Amino acid sequence: MLQPRYPDEVSNNATGVSMGINELVNWKPPADAAQLKVAEPFKIKSVEPVCQTTRAHRKRVLRGAKYNLFNISSRDILLDFLTDSGTGAMSQAQWAALQQGDESYAGSVSFDLLRDTVRDLFGFKHVLPSHQGRSAELVLMSHFISKKGLVVPGNLHFDTTGAHIEFQGGVIREFPDRRIVDLDDLSLFKGNMDLESFAPYVKKNHRNIPLVVLTATCNSGGGQPVSLANVAAVGKICRKYRIPLFVDSARIIENAYFIKTYEPGQSRKSIRTILREFLSHTDGAMMSAKKDGLVNIGGFIATNNEDYFDSFRRYTILFDGFVTYGGLAGRDLAAIAVGLREAIDLGYLKHRVSQAAYLATSLWKAGVRMVMPPGGHAVYVDARAFCPHIPVRQYPGHAIAVALYLESGIRGCEIGTLLRGRDPRTGRDRTKGLDLLRLAIPRRVYSYNQLDYAIDAILRLKKKAHTIRGVKFVRESPFLRHFTSEFALI
Ligand code: F0G
């Protein structure tokens, strides 16, 4: 298998001052965002055309889509930053692995390949495939939440994790690092669990906690990483009270890269060593392989615990299929196995993380307020600062996403009041928290030229931000409303 490798010196020079320096506690912006550019560690073999559209056409498209960007056909999108999930480009080695996929119902050789890869990289003996991240969450929560009212703490749960906790009658309790809401705080590892509040909470309530979930990187907190020191401390607390700790590992390889780059004493370790050390403090992991697995579909659960495995197996068979395929085709299992190996490659990771850093830093230096330091997979623009004239209940993040599409054909999505939905007790919008526009970068898909186009479009839009109109519901869906509701401009 051909693995592109870049010598460390090249990448370190190219990434400028901020990468590869371990003693930093704060992220230090480079003098020029261009220093963050890293040459692509791949070349393009197959291309997919994207559509240029006119402003008049996009205006019609928006009207037809009822101002919900999820309703727009990808035919009408120039750059799609809606998500980095399942949208990456597979390598020639992955396409070759697909051809060799073993489609046996039981005992697929492709499963063996995946299991052995996960054993090697994650250090867990038992591996259960799952058709994507949320089905792994369903298995996990079905096992752990045995009665109503049990509490599942975390740094910040991803939406589907939270939804599955509540679906089983559980309660979400989050302990994000306090710095995470301070967009101007440039400290690293803002994805950490806040130990000061987490430890006393667990001490008092441990009998009511069936499971702790740590999400690395923390998507809902701007893709910020969790440090090795933090997972070790969380693990210690969980072990003391005999509470299982699982890691939502969708972007754990990007997280390991942040540890290698920024955490004191870690720079000489390989990504594999860091992954294994990180997970050694935990009881297991669930993963949406659509992110760091570099595939378009798939996921898995991994653990060393025989009892959990025995119980998870039953749920997997019930929800997803037999334990050696878990809702996936054999070829998908093979593609994940190859994808995981490619994702730990330093050349790949430098390019990957640098793209988000380049996009974020370019906008930030031009005066766009956003979640900083740059996370691994996306940039998160502060919508309230971008459009201070739009009241929170007119969903500024969504309003900007609509305006950006009209301006440029770029699709992003709102992470804020619209996504959080209504408080079931009061029926009112949950306005507490940030209102953000997320631009998530698919893996190995877009060039720096395309990122430059996005930067220009956003800066153009910033100049006329006062003309952006808020949005209101025409039809509001009762839950997960951002996907299916219809809107009008105010
Ligand atoms: N956990 C995290 C941290 C995620 O970001 C996601 C999905 C999931 C779990 C669920 O995985 O989609 O395979 O079922 N995040 C996507 C996103 C959808 O756009 O951030 P899934």
Side-chain angles (χ1 to χ4, degrees), residues 98-118:
L98 285 181
Q99 289 290 335
Q100 294 176 357
D102 175 0
E103 304 304 340
S104 305
Y105 188 96
S108 161
V109 173
S110 303
F111 169 73
D112 294 348
L113 198 66
L114 174 64
R115 183 201 51 210
D116 294 347
T117 306
V118 175

Side-chain angles (χ1 to χ4, degrees), residues 82-85 132-135 137 158 160-161 215 217 219 248 250-251 288-291 298 377 438:
L82 188 67
T83 178
D84 65 323
S85 178
Q132 60 183 93
R134 66 200 70 182
S135 45
E137 289 161 2
F158 182 65
T160 55
T161 320
T215 304
T217 62
N219 187 10
D248 179 341
R251 300 180 184 83
S288 165
K290 299 172 74 173
K291 287 80 170 172
H377 69 291
R438 185 183 81 167

Side-chain angles (χ1 to χ4, degrees), residues 49-53 57 72-78 405 411:
V50 288
C51 277
Q52 299 278 355
T53 52
H57 177 76
I72 298 181
S73 160
S74 76
R75 226 179 287 121
D76 294 316
I77 306 276
L78 183 63
Y405 174 73
R411 174 159 68 172

Side-chain angles (χ1 to χ4, degrees), residues 1 3 89-98 113-114 117-118 121-122 250 253 271 275 287 289-297 300 331-345 348-349 443-444:
M1 182 170 53
Q3 286 282 8
M90 292 210 296
S91 66
Q92 59 180 2
Q94 287 179 291
W95 284 106
L98 285 181
L113 198 66
L114 174 64
T117 306
V118 175
L121 300 184
F122 283 36
I253 303 180
I271 296 295
L275 283 175
M287 180 169 197
K290 299 172 74 173
K291 287 80 170 172
D292 280 357
L294 292 177
V295 289
N296 305 119
I297 193 71
F300 57 85
R331 54 181 171 271
D332 297 325
L333 304 171
I336 302 172
V338 178
L340 287 170
R341 292 257 174 236
E342 292 181 359
I344 63 164
D345 180 78
Y348 158 77
L349 278 169
R443 292 166 180 77
R444 305 192 287 207

Side-chain angles (χ1 to χ4, degrees), residues 377-419:
H377 69 291
V379 305
Y380 297 71
V381 173
D382 178 5
R384 292 185 195 176
F386 202 92
C387 284
H389 62 287
I390 301 181
V392 170
R393 286 199 172 76
Q394 293 180 15
Y395 314 112
H398 185 54
I400 301 167
V402 168
L404 181 63
Y405 174 73
L406 180 63
E407 177 69 26
S408 61
I410 294 173
R411 174 159 68 172
C413 73
E414 191 254 16
I415 305 271
T417 306
L418 173 62
L419 181 104

